[in-house]
Short mmCIF file of all heavy atoms in Angstrom, two decimals:
data_model
loop_
_atom_site.label_atom_id
_atom_site.label_comp_id
_atom_site.label_asym_id
_atom_site.label_seq_id
_atom_site.Cartn_x
_atom_site.Cartn_y
_atom_site.Cartn_z
N THR A 3 143.40 55.77 120.64
CA THR A 3 144.27 56.79 121.20
C THR A 3 144.34 56.55 122.70
O THR A 3 143.32 56.26 123.33
CB THR A 3 143.67 58.18 120.93
OG1 THR A 3 143.37 58.28 119.55
CG2 THR A 3 144.61 59.28 121.33
N ARG A 7 138.04 57.09 125.67
CA ARG A 7 136.93 56.28 126.17
C ARG A 7 135.72 56.55 125.29
O ARG A 7 135.32 57.70 125.15
CB ARG A 7 136.60 56.63 127.62
CG ARG A 7 137.73 56.27 128.55
CD ARG A 7 137.46 56.75 129.94
NE ARG A 7 136.42 55.95 130.57
CZ ARG A 7 135.80 56.29 131.69
NH1 ARG A 7 136.11 57.40 132.28
NH2 ARG A 7 134.88 55.53 132.18
N PRO A 8 135.15 55.52 124.67
CA PRO A 8 133.98 55.78 123.84
C PRO A 8 132.82 56.29 124.68
O PRO A 8 132.64 55.87 125.82
CB PRO A 8 133.66 54.42 123.23
CG PRO A 8 134.36 53.43 124.05
CD PRO A 8 135.49 54.13 124.76
N SER A 16 110.49 56.94 125.49
CA SER A 16 109.40 57.55 124.75
C SER A 16 108.58 58.42 125.70
O SER A 16 108.37 58.07 126.85
CB SER A 16 108.53 56.46 124.15
OG SER A 16 107.39 57.04 123.58
N MET A 31 81.62 62.58 119.75
CA MET A 31 81.70 63.92 119.20
C MET A 31 80.55 64.75 119.78
O MET A 31 79.45 64.24 119.95
CB MET A 31 81.54 63.82 117.68
CG MET A 31 81.59 65.12 116.96
SD MET A 31 81.24 64.95 115.19
CE MET A 31 82.36 63.69 114.69
N LYS A 32 80.79 65.97 120.10
CA LYS A 32 79.75 66.88 120.57
C LYS A 32 79.34 67.78 119.41
O LYS A 32 80.18 68.29 118.69
CB LYS A 32 80.25 67.74 121.74
CG LYS A 32 80.73 66.94 122.93
CD LYS A 32 79.62 66.12 123.53
CE LYS A 32 80.12 65.33 124.72
NZ LYS A 32 79.22 64.29 125.11
N ASN A 39 69.85 69.47 114.90
CA ASN A 39 68.55 69.70 114.27
C ASN A 39 68.58 69.28 112.79
O ASN A 39 67.63 68.70 112.28
CB ASN A 39 68.13 71.16 114.40
CG ASN A 39 66.66 71.34 114.14
OD1 ASN A 39 65.83 70.65 114.73
ND2 ASN A 39 66.32 72.24 113.23
N THR A 40 69.69 69.57 112.12
CA THR A 40 69.85 69.17 110.73
C THR A 40 69.81 67.65 110.59
O THR A 40 69.16 67.10 109.69
CB THR A 40 71.18 69.71 110.15
OG1 THR A 40 71.15 71.14 110.22
CG2 THR A 40 71.41 69.27 108.73
N ILE A 46 63.75 62.58 109.49
CA ILE A 46 62.34 62.78 109.12
C ILE A 46 62.18 62.75 107.60
O ILE A 46 61.29 62.09 107.06
CB ILE A 46 61.81 64.11 109.70
CG1 ILE A 46 61.78 64.05 111.22
CG2 ILE A 46 60.43 64.44 109.14
CD1 ILE A 46 61.57 65.40 111.89
N THR A 73 53.85 46.30 113.42
CA THR A 73 54.16 47.40 112.50
C THR A 73 53.11 48.48 112.68
O THR A 73 51.91 48.21 112.58
CB THR A 73 54.16 46.93 111.04
OG1 THR A 73 55.15 45.91 110.89
CG2 THR A 73 54.47 48.07 110.09
N ALA A 83 61.10 68.47 113.77
CA ALA A 83 62.39 68.63 114.46
C ALA A 83 62.54 70.04 114.99
O ALA A 83 62.33 71.01 114.26
CB ALA A 83 63.54 68.30 113.53
N GLY A 94 46.75 59.52 114.69
CA GLY A 94 46.47 58.89 113.40
C GLY A 94 47.31 57.68 113.05
O GLY A 94 47.24 57.18 111.95
N GLN A 97 47.50 50.52 112.71
CA GLN A 97 48.13 49.22 112.90
C GLN A 97 47.09 48.13 112.72
O GLN A 97 45.89 48.37 112.89
CB GLN A 97 48.79 49.12 114.28
CG GLN A 97 47.82 49.40 115.44
CD GLN A 97 48.54 49.64 116.74
OE1 GLN A 97 49.19 48.75 117.25
NE2 GLN A 97 48.43 50.86 117.28
N SER A 98 47.52 46.95 112.37
CA SER A 98 46.64 45.79 112.26
C SER A 98 46.99 44.86 113.42
O SER A 98 47.85 43.99 113.28
CB SER A 98 46.84 45.07 110.92
OG SER A 98 46.49 45.92 109.87
N PRO A 107 59.40 43.58 122.64
CA PRO A 107 60.30 44.20 121.65
C PRO A 107 61.59 44.70 122.30
O PRO A 107 61.58 45.15 123.45
CB PRO A 107 59.48 45.37 121.10
CG PRO A 107 58.50 45.69 122.16
CD PRO A 107 58.23 44.42 122.89
N PHE A 125 65.36 49.88 122.83
CA PHE A 125 64.66 50.06 124.10
C PHE A 125 65.65 49.88 125.25
O PHE A 125 66.52 49.03 125.22
CB PHE A 125 63.50 49.06 124.25
CG PHE A 125 62.34 49.39 123.35
CD1 PHE A 125 61.91 48.48 122.39
CD2 PHE A 125 61.70 50.61 123.44
CE1 PHE A 125 60.85 48.80 121.55
CE2 PHE A 125 60.64 50.94 122.60
CZ PHE A 125 60.21 50.02 121.65
N THR A 130 61.65 53.64 125.95
CA THR A 130 61.10 52.69 126.91
C THR A 130 59.85 52.05 126.32
O THR A 130 59.04 52.72 125.69
CB THR A 130 60.71 53.42 128.22
OG1 THR A 130 61.85 54.10 128.72
CG2 THR A 130 60.20 52.45 129.25
N THR A 132 56.73 49.64 127.70
CA THR A 132 56.12 49.05 128.89
C THR A 132 55.19 47.93 128.48
O THR A 132 54.34 48.13 127.62
CB THR A 132 55.33 50.13 129.67
OG1 THR A 132 56.22 51.22 129.95
CG2 THR A 132 54.80 49.58 130.98
N THR A 134 54.15 44.12 126.94
CA THR A 134 54.55 43.26 125.83
C THR A 134 53.60 43.50 124.66
O THR A 134 52.53 44.09 124.83
CB THR A 134 54.47 41.76 126.22
OG1 THR A 134 53.13 41.45 126.60
CG2 THR A 134 55.42 41.42 127.35
N ALA A 136 50.94 42.01 122.16
CA ALA A 136 50.00 40.89 122.19
C ALA A 136 49.13 40.93 120.95
O ALA A 136 48.74 42.01 120.47
CB ALA A 136 49.13 40.96 123.45
N VAL A 143 51.36 54.72 121.26
CA VAL A 143 52.51 55.64 121.30
C VAL A 143 52.02 56.85 122.08
O VAL A 143 51.10 57.54 121.65
CB VAL A 143 52.97 56.04 119.89
CG1 VAL A 143 54.13 57.02 119.96
CG2 VAL A 143 53.35 54.80 119.08
N ALA A 154 74.86 65.85 122.32
CA ALA A 154 74.72 67.24 122.76
C ALA A 154 75.90 67.63 123.63
O ALA A 154 76.50 66.83 124.27
CB ALA A 154 73.44 67.41 123.56
#
Side-chain angles (χ1 to χ4, degrees):
T3 309
R7 294 174 72 193
S16 173
M31 180 186 308
K32 302 297 180 195
N39 197 52
T40 299
I46 294 167
T73 300
Q97 55 194 296
S98 297
F125 288 120
T130 304
T132 305
T134 59
V143 179

